Amino acid sequence: MKHVIYADNAATTPVSQAALQAMQPYFSESYGNASAAHSLGQEAKSALEKARRSVADSLGAFVNEIYFTSGGTESANWALACGVQARANKRAGHVIISSIEHSAVFHTAEYLETLGYEVTYLPVSKAGQITPEQLVEAMRHETVLISIMLANNEMGTILPVKALCQAAKERNRRVIFHTDAVQAVGHIPLDVRRMGVDILSLSGHKFGGPKGTGAQFIRLGTTIPPFMHGGGQEKGRRSGTSNMPGIVGMAAALEEAVEGLAATVPQITALRNKLIWGILAIPGAYLTGDAVERLPGSASFVFDGLADRPLVTRLSEQGICVSSGSACSSSSEEPSRVLLAAGYPTELAAAPLRITLSKHNTSEEIDTIISKVAAVVESLRGQSYAPVSLDFSGKP
Ligand code: PLP
């Protein structure tokens, strides 16, 4: 296979060596069903509970607050679609999400609207931020659930979930607060107790675990009906035969990622900052998202004079794997919903470039990415390019 520079780690990551090694026996010799009473089953059950303990420790949770799922999408669907039914009063209530949520939350909220729920899509600043005051102002007596992501998958902005949750709980301690932490877990230090959220969703393949694995933190005492009905696994809250290799691999990857944060955060942040300064030297290039409150590995840009041009494809032809934003929407021709919500004009929202780094990237790779992006942008713009003045619709 041709050598490529991989800088699309927000889309997915390679499975780590630690995860691979941990998974191996559960494909072959230790193939028991964790629900079976015999020795092979009990061996699997003990590995399952060890993995649960490890994930709980990585998040600052209690072991009986962790439920294994098939990934971020399932966890988010569960939190929203079932979280709204938690109240004894079964009338369709009011839900608040941010306008920059990943499709897993955004489209589930839209689905809830078809069931009669009212949804407020909270506007964000140009940096992708929401204030506690804004959230509290949007809350109503009938607000049942709030879902605000911890880190945005397109812009890389880290949102103040702890302060948002605290403000929401002060207004109404019974409201369920969910956070989609898929892009944050394993990338920044995080403690569910300190954050105060009721439900937190994560996905294994974003931090060196296998695809199709995920988990849900559900604070003790939080009432939420099951999403998957069946054999009663995961204390009856998420049925389905436990995906043993996946769960064990995800737990090993998370443990490795969290233990390594003290070293990887500064290392990756330095690479990201070098990348940002290099790309911003290109005329008509703009950084999207929050300049300070941003994921260590995430850098995202827009370029004027490039709308509808195949930037990502051309970079791929040059051996650079990056994306135009969310992996789920990268095949769509539409401007980025997230950038439009942050107030970017359509012509800029139609030309995003998301570069997401990991500890495996090198400084030399950053030099190559910068020079290739500069060359491709220049060639796509052509001779007639002239910088434009931007209108961010008064966004701060
Ligand atoms: N939430 C966010 C913020 C994401 O970035 C993603 C994946 O890109 C998901 C949810 C969905 O996770 P999964 O791919 O595990 O279904």
Side-chain angles (χ1 to χ4, degrees):
M1 205 172 74
K2 183 173 100 176
H3 174 74
V4 295
I5 295 178
Y6 186 73
D8 195 16
N9 289 278
T12 198
T13 56
V15 173
S16 77
Q17 283 306 316
L20 259 185
Q21 261 180 19
M23 291 166 78
Q24 204 76 46
Y26 296 93
F27 286 113
S28 46
E29 67 262 31
S30 299
Y31 52 83
N33 183 325
S35 302
H38 50 67
S39 59
L40 268 182
Q42 290 313 294
E43 192 180 304
K45 173 85 181 151
S46 126
L48 177 67
E49 294 316 318
K50 193 166 158 236
R52 198 184 311 280
R53 155 81 49 207
S54 161
V55 171
D57 289 348
S58 297
L59 300 177
F62 296 127
V63 68
N64 47 357
E65 293 176 316
I66 301 299
Y67 298 85
F68 293 115
T69 67
S70 68
T73 301
E74 182 193 324
S75 292
N77 270 260
W78 181 13
L80 267 79
C82 300
V84 293
Q85 299 169 32
R87 272 216 304 218
N89 168 2
K90 291 290 177 221
R91 272 204 322 252
H94 174 235
V95 173
I96 301 175
I97 70 165
S98 84
S99 53
I100 57 167
E101 293 298 314
H102 183 271
S103 302
V105 167
F106 198 86
H107 294 318
T108 308
E110 287 181 332
Y111 166 70
L112 289 174
E113 282 186 293
T114 69
L115 301 181
Y117 290 87
E118 270 194 73
V119 179
T120 297
Y121 297 86
L122 274 186
V124 297
S125 70
K126 180 171 163 271
Q129 293 289 10
I130 288 171
T131 64
E133 296 73 29
Q134 217 189 321
L135 174 60
V136 170
E137 203 175 310
M139 287 175 72
R140 305 181 198 160
H141 176 67
E142 61 277 16
T143 306
V144 272
L145 185 133
I146 297 170
S147 185
I148 311 276
M149 68 199 323
L150 182 52
N152 181 261
N153 48 299
E154 290 193 37
M155 298 192 284
T157 296
I158 299 173
L159 287 96
V161 165
K162 181 180 173 204
L164 292 167
C165 182
Q166 195 177 335
K169 293 282 182 181
E170 275 168 19
R171 166 78 201 271
N172 175 5
R173 68 182 172 80
R174 288 178 55 226
V175 74
I176 294 187
F177 198 107
H178 166 249
T179 190
D180 171 354
V182 164
Q183 290 292 340
V185 171
H187 298 277
I188 55 172
L190 175 164
D191 185 307
V192 285
R193 283 258 113 54
R194 252 184 249 151
M195 258 196 297
V197 297
D198 299 303
I199 309 178
L200 175 144
S201 303
L202 64 89
S203 168
H205 73 104
K206 306 293 187 180
F207 50 74
K211 293 164 186 59
T213 62
Q216 190 92 297
F217 157 81
I218 305 179
R219 170 183 301 287
L220 282 179
T222 306
T223 319
I224 177 167
F227 183 52
M228 308 277 272
H229 303 269
Q233 291 87 348
E234 301 291 301
K235 292 196 261 91
R237 279 181 140 173
R238 197 282 184 184
S239 288
T241 301
S242 306
N243 168 10
M244 286 310 303
I247 289 169
V248 167
M250 176 176 71
L254 184 57
E255 203 173 307
E256 187 187 27
V258 169
E259 277 173 6
L261 282 177
T264 55
V265 168
Q267 179 207 342
I268 301 170
T269 303
L271 290 175
R272 182 206 69 192
N273 289 344
K274 174 177 172 172
L275 176 72
I276 289 177
W277 291 118
I279 300 285
L280 288 182
I282 301 171
Y286 301 87
L287 181 70
T288 71
D290 199 308
V292 180
E293 296 301 328
R294 135 182 316 270
L295 288 170
S298 182
S300 52
F301 307 91
V302 289
F303 300 87
D304 66 25
L306 268 198
D308 304 331
R309 308 284 166 83
L311 181 56
V312 170
T313 317
R314 290 287 290 276
L315 286 167
S316 172
E317 287 159 9
Q318 307 270 323
I320 314 275
C321 294
V322 289
S323 91
S324 60
S326 157
C328 318
S329 59
S330 56
S331 55
S332 112
E333 300 289 311
E334 297 293 307
S336 155
R337 161 174 66 73
V338 165
L339 293 183
L340 289 178
Y344 283 83
T346 313
E347 60 276 22
L348 288 184
L353 177 66
R354 179 183 73 177
I355 305 175
T356 46
L357 307 174
S358 77
K359 65 178 178 186
H360 302 300
N361 290 113
T362 63
S363 189
E364 292 70 38
E365 287 183 339
I366 303 300
D367 290 329
T368 309
I369 294 173
I370 295 168
S371 66
K372 300 256 186 208
V373 171
V376 170
V377 166
E378 195 184 334
S379 86
L380 286 174
R381 278 173 172 159
Q383 299 287 326
S384 56
Y385 167 71
V388 295
S389 74
L390 294 175
D391 170 18
F392 284 118
S393 319
K395 287 261 176 183

